[in-house]
Amino acid sequence: MDKVSSSAADAVADIGTGASLAVGGFGWCGVPTVLIEAIRDAGATDLEVVSNNCGADGWGLAILLAERRISRVVASFFGDNREFARQYLQGELEVEITPQGTLAERLRAAGAGIPGFFTPTGVGTLVEQGGLVWRFDHEGNAAVVSPAKPVRTFVRAGKAQQFLLEEALPTDFAIVRAALGDRHGNLVFHASAKNFNPLAAMAGRITIAEVERLVEPGEIDPDLVHLPGIFVDRIVELTPEQVAAKQIEKRMVKGMVKR
Amino acid sequence: MDKVSSSAADAVADIGTGASLAVGGFGWCGVPTVLIEAIRDAGATDLEVVSNNCGADGWGLAILLAERRISRVVASFFGDNREFARQYLQGELEVEITPQGTLAERLRAAGAGIPGFFTPTGVGTLVEQGGLVWRFDHEGNAAVVSPAKPVRTFVRAGKAQQFLLEEALPTDFAIVRAALGDRHGNLVFHASAKNFNPLAAMAGRITIAEVERLVEPGEIDPDLVHLPGIFVDRIVELTPEQVAAKQIEKRMVKGMVKR
Amino acid sequence: MTGWTREQIAQRAAVDLNDGMYVNLGIGIPTLIPDFLPNDVEVIIHAENGILGVGTYPDEADIDPDLINAGKETVSVKRGASFFDSATSFSMIRGGRMDLAVLGAFQVSAGGDLANWAVPGKLIKGMGGAMDLVAGAARVLVLMEHMNRSGEPKIVVECSLPLTGRNVVDRIITDLAVIDVTDQGLRVVEFAPGVDAHMLRSRTGAPLIIDGR
Amino acid sequence: MTGWTREQIAQRAAVDLNDGMYVNLGIGIPTLIPDFLPNDVEVIIHAENGILGVGTYPDEADIDPDLINAGKETVSVKRGASFFDSATSFSMIRGGRMDLAVLGAFQVSAGGDLANWAVPGKLIKGMGGAMDLVAGAARVLVLMEHMNRSGEPKIVVECSLPLTGRNVVDRIITDLAVIDVTDQGLRVVEFAPGVDAHMLRSRTGAPLIIDGR
């Protein structure tokens, strides 16, 4: 068994126009930038992207946004991305705004064969009641808004409480980044670069991982695997230059004043 | 921060009569046997136990069963335990039979604040329709049977499909076993002894872990923690003798004939 | 001799396993399958208690009480194995990543319903992971004797025993034949040696499609 | 001088943190709290992107692009830290294991409703993890200026802005006072220097219980 692709271009070649795509990463951390670049180069457009953020300043998914290759985004936070805001407000981009924990759980649920689950998050807010603007028209009025979500009462710690139903978020493809991987697709992440990566990987029908270091099966202790290879279909090994290109969004060092 | 208890007896002292208890382990593997013995010695009775199996032949939970200290069990498989069968059939023990994957997910859901989720498992069976015998009367007739579960249709891969609603399984306490732990409660498991342990730990309102080796905070690489300490309230360090007492249910070696 | 032995059933089942497949093998005949795989076919065996990459029984020196399969037997693991908790294990199954589940059965119906966990009047042992496996695996293969010990067909129009899953079985391999569950009904793919259409129909409790009829 | 500075608000909030607590600190004033903790109070700081045990900003040599907090700043970790995925991270929150969440607000209502993520007519940035935090944390503490930049009260009978959560806030600490949300209404626990009941009532858009009245 060898899931290694000969190149990033090869690995993403069948991601076509209109595909849905779960993408790992939080801010600029743990983002599969090389696979994103390969998708840009391959030309697919009208993509639906599920990702906590959507990159910024020419980094990560921002390079697909800049070329208007993304038509719909499911995300929890995009406050740092001006081009994202412009496309959203001018009705060029549909945005399903989802609480961060709900987004994580919806991706995991997709991978776990759980089509829906109840959560306390968002009860009593627009997330439950509906009306969040998914798409503006060209005059800046709401064209598509979120639907209301079903609510159910459960008894929790002896108290009846309301919860809303969220649905799983399966995608055609997932692209993720890991520190270490083997030819069977087993992955190991480092520090907070783990974030959404294992969950995006679970949600994809076909999952592609870029790894900073590739090793042979057996070199990763079975106790230390973070994501079992069954969730990964293709592996791309990064070059040392690609690994070194990692960027930092907010570089802070000891003694700096907190904002 | 130091979650280490002075003894197993101390750690379980507040587990009272009528308490519910999630217990890690699969078969005889990864079972918190020392905490189970401490509970036996402490005298609590009328316990509700959530555990995939229920021990066998004087091992694990079987020692609580033997003393009739358990009044209700949620489990997926108990085919190896004759005393369990006797108590169940004679109406001494209530048993909620739950598919194994559903049991695992219900424990995780409890720990994740998800009160209920939909699953394909059991649709079209007695698990959905109700009628599984939870308790027999003394004549061997069904006295309490499982209720029917709500069903909902979700579209999955373009196809409408039915799923049933399962509820989370939170418990008053959880007892688990790990290979390694630190004073903050961070746990590392070994091989297939991981099984239900992280999930039971998540489900408990108060979670107690027995560890084969105790180390100081900082000795476990943050990337290698299997269960973060926030899910663990008390730690008990086992003696070398207690660790060595681990037993094997079906000892097989290479060349033996498969059954 | 008429029909296949247990080993021959496993051998026939092994033909259905392709290189790179993730498979879960139930207790009994399914555990014999790996012995019949060609050297160039590498499958990854899943144990629902938390292992991908289950190997053979271990050497005496390598026995580890913490390393058992879902049948509770000590095992070894292969290169590239991984360990995980039970929720992750069943996520793989329900999430559709498990290519194949192979299990035994008491009864299979013409519509692919499976009964393999409970017999009324006999002691219930629990369904373990069987309901999750048949609900989630991409493909479900049943290996069983064609008739039960009382000489009654185990392939029936409707199961009389409590179900493990409804419309879940894809293929049945018995000592007498290989039979696919299709939208048109049960279709015979292959006869065991010494078995013909007449014999197979007489021992089967549901209509069979043989040679298109 | 009347009232508390940003730093003094954080200092007052620090009093509410006990040894051994797990806390999530939002962006802004909450991040200043650790500077005011006594040496014998060890709290474990959670970053919802996947860290328990967040430390100070790192030394230059220890900067790791893979190690950032939820505000996307480089950080260090303390002894006993752990890393995990986002689903596990929010499990801790929704599951009730997070003892305290501290965040900022645009508005808080008399019933403990919180609005802190969206202002109609202004660009929506997304709620991030705020809705999960207020729905799940065992206790929610809001730190904010008592009035907004237009001089309007931020504590109101009903929020006019889109809610982050309903009936979720336990305590509010502003530049003017410490106020608890109780079943009876908003109860003033403490005044900042130079603040009296009359002034506080005049700057608050909801009834206040002061000295039991």
Side-chain angles (χ1 to χ4, degrees), chain A residues 14-54:
Chain A
D14 57 351
I15 301 183
T17 288
S20 61
L21 204 59
V23 183
F26 177 91
W28 294 10
C29 187
V31 178
T33 51
V34 174
L35 291 171
I36 291 170
E37 283 163 23
I39 291 169
R40 178 198 56 194
D41 296 344
T45 186
D46 191 23
L47 297 168
E48 174 171 7
V49 166
V50 182
S51 176
N52 187 61
N53 317 101
C54 215

Short mmCIF file of all heavy atoms in Angstrom, two decimals, chain A residues 14-54:
data_model
loop_
_atom_site.label_atom_id
_atom_site.label_comp_id
_atom_site.label_asym_id
_atom_site.label_seq_id
_atom_site.Cartn_x
_atom_site.Cartn_y
_atom_site.Cartn_z
N ASP A 14 -8.08 15.65 -9.96
CA ASP A 14 -9.51 15.35 -10.16
C ASP A 14 -10.43 16.23 -9.34
O ASP A 14 -11.64 15.99 -9.26
CB ASP A 14 -9.80 13.86 -9.91
CG ASP A 14 -9.37 13.42 -8.52
OD1 ASP A 14 -8.70 14.19 -7.81
OD2 ASP A 14 -9.71 12.28 -8.13
N ILE A 15 -9.89 17.27 -8.71
CA ILE A 15 -10.75 18.24 -8.03
C ILE A 15 -11.29 19.18 -9.10
O ILE A 15 -10.59 20.06 -9.59
CB ILE A 15 -9.98 19.03 -6.95
CG1 ILE A 15 -9.42 18.07 -5.89
CG2 ILE A 15 -10.90 20.07 -6.30
CD1 ILE A 15 -8.70 18.75 -4.74
N GLY A 16 -12.53 18.97 -9.46
CA GLY A 16 -13.09 19.69 -10.60
C GLY A 16 -13.90 20.92 -10.20
O GLY A 16 -14.14 21.17 -9.01
N THR A 17 -14.31 21.66 -11.20
CA THR A 17 -15.17 22.82 -10.98
C THR A 17 -16.45 22.38 -10.28
O THR A 17 -17.04 21.36 -10.64
CB THR A 17 -15.45 23.50 -12.33
OG1 THR A 17 -14.24 24.15 -12.75
CG2 THR A 17 -16.58 24.51 -12.23
N GLY A 18 -16.84 23.15 -9.25
CA GLY A 18 -18.05 22.82 -8.50
C GLY A 18 -17.83 21.87 -7.34
O GLY A 18 -18.77 21.58 -6.61
N ALA A 19 -16.60 21.42 -7.13
CA ALA A 19 -16.32 20.48 -6.03
C ALA A 19 -16.44 21.17 -4.68
O ALA A 19 -16.24 22.38 -4.55
CB ALA A 19 -14.92 19.89 -6.19
N SER A 20 -16.78 20.38 -3.66
CA SER A 20 -16.72 20.89 -2.28
C SER A 20 -15.46 20.37 -1.62
O SER A 20 -14.97 19.28 -1.93
CB SER A 20 -17.96 20.47 -1.49
OG SER A 20 -18.05 19.07 -1.40
N LEU A 21 -14.94 21.18 -0.70
CA LEU A 21 -13.57 21.02 -0.23
C LEU A 21 -13.47 21.39 1.25
O LEU A 21 -13.71 22.53 1.61
CB LEU A 21 -12.72 22.00 -1.05
CG LEU A 21 -11.25 21.81 -1.26
CD1 LEU A 21 -10.99 20.47 -1.94
CD2 LEU A 21 -10.72 22.94 -2.16
N ALA A 22 -13.14 20.43 2.11
CA ALA A 22 -12.84 20.77 3.50
C ALA A 22 -11.35 21.06 3.61
O ALA A 22 -10.54 20.30 3.08
CB ALA A 22 -13.23 19.61 4.43
N VAL A 23 -11.01 22.14 4.29
CA VAL A 23 -9.61 22.58 4.34
C VAL A 23 -9.18 22.75 5.79
O VAL A 23 -9.83 23.47 6.55
CB VAL A 23 -9.42 23.90 3.56
CG1 VAL A 23 -7.95 24.32 3.55
CG2 VAL A 23 -9.96 23.78 2.14
N GLY A 24 -8.09 22.10 6.18
CA GLY A 24 -7.57 22.22 7.53
C GLY A 24 -6.91 23.57 7.76
O GLY A 24 -6.65 24.32 6.81
N GLY A 25 -6.63 23.88 9.03
CA GLY A 25 -5.94 25.10 9.36
C GLY A 25 -6.77 26.04 10.22
O GLY A 25 -8.00 25.98 10.22
N PHE A 26 -6.06 26.88 10.97
CA PHE A 26 -6.67 27.93 11.79
C PHE A 26 -5.79 29.15 11.62
O PHE A 26 -4.60 29.10 11.92
CB PHE A 26 -6.72 27.49 13.26
CG PHE A 26 -7.27 28.54 14.20
CD1 PHE A 26 -8.63 28.59 14.49
CD2 PHE A 26 -6.42 29.49 14.76
CE1 PHE A 26 -9.13 29.56 15.34
CE2 PHE A 26 -6.92 30.46 15.62
CZ PHE A 26 -8.28 30.49 15.91
N GLY A 27 -6.36 30.25 11.13
CA GLY A 27 -5.51 31.38 10.78
C GLY A 27 -4.51 30.93 9.73
O GLY A 27 -4.90 30.29 8.75
N TRP A 28 -3.23 31.18 9.98
CA TRP A 28 -2.21 30.76 9.02
C TRP A 28 -1.52 29.48 9.47
O TRP A 28 -0.48 29.11 8.92
CB TRP A 28 -1.16 31.87 8.86
CG TRP A 28 -1.70 33.12 8.24
CD1 TRP A 28 -3.01 33.42 7.99
CD2 TRP A 28 -0.94 34.23 7.77
NE1 TRP A 28 -3.12 34.65 7.41
CE2 TRP A 28 -1.87 35.19 7.27
CE3 TRP A 28 0.43 34.53 7.72
CZ2 TRP A 28 -1.46 36.41 6.73
CZ3 TRP A 28 0.82 35.75 7.20
CH2 TRP A 28 -0.12 36.68 6.71
N CYS A 29 -2.07 28.85 10.47
CA CYS A 29 -1.40 27.74 11.15
C CYS A 29 -1.99 26.40 10.69
O CYS A 29 -3.20 26.18 10.77
CB CYS A 29 -1.61 27.93 12.65
SG CYS A 29 -0.71 26.82 13.70
N GLY A 30 -1.12 25.51 10.18
CA GLY A 30 -1.59 24.20 9.76
C GLY A 30 -2.39 24.23 8.48
O GLY A 30 -3.23 23.35 8.23
N VAL A 31 -2.14 25.21 7.63
CA VAL A 31 -2.88 25.34 6.38
C VAL A 31 -2.15 24.57 5.26
O VAL A 31 -0.94 24.72 5.10
CB VAL A 31 -3.02 26.83 5.99
CG1 VAL A 31 -3.76 26.97 4.67
CG2 VAL A 31 -3.72 27.60 7.10
N PRO A 32 -2.88 23.77 4.47
CA PRO A 32 -2.24 23.02 3.36
C PRO A 32 -1.98 23.93 2.16
O PRO A 32 -2.62 23.82 1.12
CB PRO A 32 -3.28 21.94 3.04
CG PRO A 32 -4.59 22.55 3.42
CD PRO A 32 -4.31 23.45 4.59
N THR A 33 -1.01 24.82 2.31
CA THR A 33 -0.79 25.87 1.32
C THR A 33 -0.34 25.32 -0.04
O THR A 33 -0.68 25.89 -1.08
CB THR A 33 0.29 26.87 1.81
OG1 THR A 33 1.42 26.12 2.23
CG2 THR A 33 -0.24 27.68 2.98
N VAL A 34 0.43 24.25 -0.01
CA VAL A 34 0.96 23.73 -1.27
C VAL A 34 -0.16 23.10 -2.10
O VAL A 34 -0.23 23.27 -3.33
CB VAL A 34 2.10 22.72 -1.00
CG1 VAL A 34 2.55 22.05 -2.27
CG2 VAL A 34 3.26 23.46 -0.31
N LEU A 35 -1.08 22.39 -1.44
CA LEU A 35 -2.21 21.82 -2.16
C LEU A 35 -3.15 22.92 -2.66
O LEU A 35 -3.72 22.83 -3.75
CB LEU A 35 -2.97 20.83 -1.26
CG LEU A 35 -2.21 19.54 -0.95
CD1 LEU A 35 -2.94 18.74 0.12
CD2 LEU A 35 -2.03 18.69 -2.21
N ILE A 36 -3.28 23.98 -1.86
CA ILE A 36 -4.12 25.11 -2.31
C ILE A 36 -3.53 25.72 -3.58
O ILE A 36 -4.25 26.01 -4.55
CB ILE A 36 -4.26 26.17 -1.18
CG1 ILE A 36 -5.10 25.60 -0.03
CG2 ILE A 36 -4.89 27.45 -1.72
CD1 ILE A 36 -5.09 26.47 1.23
N GLU A 37 -2.21 25.89 -3.59
CA GLU A 37 -1.55 26.43 -4.80
C GLU A 37 -1.74 25.50 -6.00
O GLU A 37 -1.96 25.96 -7.12
CB GLU A 37 -0.05 26.65 -4.53
CG GLU A 37 0.21 27.90 -3.71
CD GLU A 37 1.62 27.91 -3.10
OE1 GLU A 37 2.50 27.21 -3.63
OE2 GLU A 37 1.81 28.61 -2.08
N ALA A 38 -1.68 24.21 -5.74
CA ALA A 38 -1.86 23.25 -6.83
C ALA A 38 -3.28 23.33 -7.40
O ALA A 38 -3.48 23.19 -8.61
CB ALA A 38 -1.55 21.83 -6.34
N ILE A 39 -4.25 23.56 -6.52
CA ILE A 39 -5.64 23.69 -6.99
C ILE A 39 -5.78 24.97 -7.81
O ILE A 39 -6.43 24.98 -8.86
CB ILE A 39 -6.62 23.69 -5.79
CG1 ILE A 39 -6.64 22.30 -5.14
CG2 ILE A 39 -8.02 24.11 -6.22
CD1 ILE A 39 -7.35 22.24 -3.80
N ARG A 40 -5.13 26.03 -7.36
CA ARG A 40 -5.15 27.28 -8.15
C ARG A 40 -4.57 27.03 -9.54
O ARG A 40 -5.17 27.38 -10.55
CB ARG A 40 -4.36 28.37 -7.45
CG ARG A 40 -4.33 29.67 -8.27
CD ARG A 40 -3.22 30.59 -7.82
NE ARG A 40 -1.91 29.90 -7.88
CZ ARG A 40 -0.82 30.36 -7.31
NH1 ARG A 40 -0.84 31.49 -6.64
NH2 ARG A 40 0.32 29.69 -7.41
N ASP A 41 -3.43 26.35 -9.57
CA ASP A 41 -2.78 26.11 -10.86
C ASP A 41 -3.60 25.20 -11.76
O ASP A 41 -3.54 25.30 -12.99
CB ASP A 41 -1.39 25.50 -10.63
CG ASP A 41 -0.47 26.46 -9.88
OD1 ASP A 41 -0.80 27.67 -9.82
OD2 ASP A 41 0.55 26.01 -9.35
N ALA A 42 -4.38 24.29 -11.15
CA ALA A 42 -5.14 23.33 -11.95
C ALA A 42 -6.37 23.95 -12.58
O ALA A 42 -6.89 23.45 -13.58
CB ALA A 42 -5.54 22.13 -11.09
N GLY A 43 -6.88 25.03 -11.99
CA GLY A 43 -7.92 25.78 -12.68
C GLY A 43 -9.36 25.54 -12.25
O GLY A 43 -10.26 26.20 -12.76
N ALA A 44 -9.61 24.62 -11.32
CA ALA A 44 -11.00 24.39 -10.90
C ALA A 44 -11.59 25.68 -10.33
O ALA A 44 -10.90 26.46 -9.67
CB ALA A 44 -11.05 23.28 -9.85
N THR A 45 -12.86 25.86 -10.58
CA THR A 45 -13.52 27.06 -10.07
C THR A 45 -14.89 26.70 -9.51
O THR A 45 -15.24 25.53 -9.44
CB THR A 45 -13.58 28.15 -11.18
OG1 THR A 45 -14.10 29.34 -10.60
CG2 THR A 45 -14.46 27.71 -12.33
N ASP A 46 -15.65 27.71 -9.04
CA ASP A 46 -16.98 27.47 -8.43
C ASP A 46 -16.86 26.49 -7.26
O ASP A 46 -17.71 25.64 -7.06
CB ASP A 46 -17.94 26.93 -9.50
CG ASP A 46 -19.38 26.91 -9.00
OD1 ASP A 46 -19.71 27.67 -8.08
OD2 ASP A 46 -20.16 26.09 -9.52
N LEU A 47 -15.78 26.64 -6.49
CA LEU A 47 -15.53 25.72 -5.38
C LEU A 47 -16.36 26.09 -4.16
O LEU A 47 -16.59 27.28 -3.89
CB LEU A 47 -14.04 25.75 -5.00
CG LEU A 47 -13.08 25.27 -6.10
CD1 LEU A 47 -11.64 25.62 -5.74
CD2 LEU A 47 -13.24 23.76 -6.32
N GLU A 48 -16.82 25.07 -3.43
CA GLU A 48 -17.40 25.32 -2.11
C GLU A 48 -16.38 24.89 -1.07
O GLU A 48 -15.93 23.75 -1.06
CB GLU A 48 -18.70 24.53 -1.90
CG GLU A 48 -19.20 24.71 -0.47
CD GLU A 48 -20.59 24.14 -0.22
OE1 GLU A 48 -21.14 23.48 -1.11
OE2 GLU A 48 -21.11 24.36 0.89
N VAL A 49 -16.00 25.84 -0.21
CA VAL A 49 -14.91 25.59 0.73
C VAL A 49 -15.43 25.60 2.16
O VAL A 49 -16.16 26.52 2.55
CB VAL A 49 -13.80 26.64 0.56
CG1 VAL A 49 -12.82 26.61 1.73
CG2 VAL A 49 -13.06 26.42 -0.76
N VAL A 50 -15.07 24.58 2.93
CA VAL A 50 -15.37 24.53 4.36
C VAL A 50 -14.06 24.71 5.09
O VAL A 50 -13.16 23.87 4.99
CB VAL A 50 -16.00 23.19 4.76
CG1 VAL A 50 -16.34 23.19 6.24
CG2 VAL A 50 -17.24 22.90 3.91
N SER A 51 -13.91 25.82 5.79
CA SER A 51 -12.65 26.13 6.47
C SER A 51 -12.92 27.17 7.54
O SER A 51 -13.67 28.12 7.30
CB SER A 51 -11.63 26.67 5.46
OG SER A 51 -10.44 27.04 6.11
N ASN A 52 -12.31 27.00 8.70
CA ASN A 52 -12.61 27.92 9.80
C ASN A 52 -12.38 29.38 9.40
O ASN A 52 -13.19 30.24 9.69
CB ASN A 52 -11.76 27.59 11.02
CG ASN A 52 -12.18 28.42 12.22
OD1 ASN A 52 -13.31 28.33 12.67
ND2 ASN A 52 -11.28 29.26 12.72
N ASN A 53 -11.25 29.63 8.73
CA ASN A 53 -10.98 30.97 8.21
C ASN A 53 -10.80 30.83 6.71
O ASN A 53 -10.94 29.75 6.17
CB ASN A 53 -9.71 31.55 8.84
CG ASN A 53 -9.64 31.29 10.32
OD1 ASN A 53 -8.94 30.39 10.75
ND2 ASN A 53 -10.37 32.06 11.10
N CYS A 54 -10.45 31.90 6.08
CA CYS A 54 -10.32 31.80 4.63
C CYS A 54 -9.03 32.48 4.16
O CYS A 54 -8.97 33.07 3.10
CB CYS A 54 -11.56 32.38 3.96
SG CYS A 54 -11.99 31.49 2.45
#
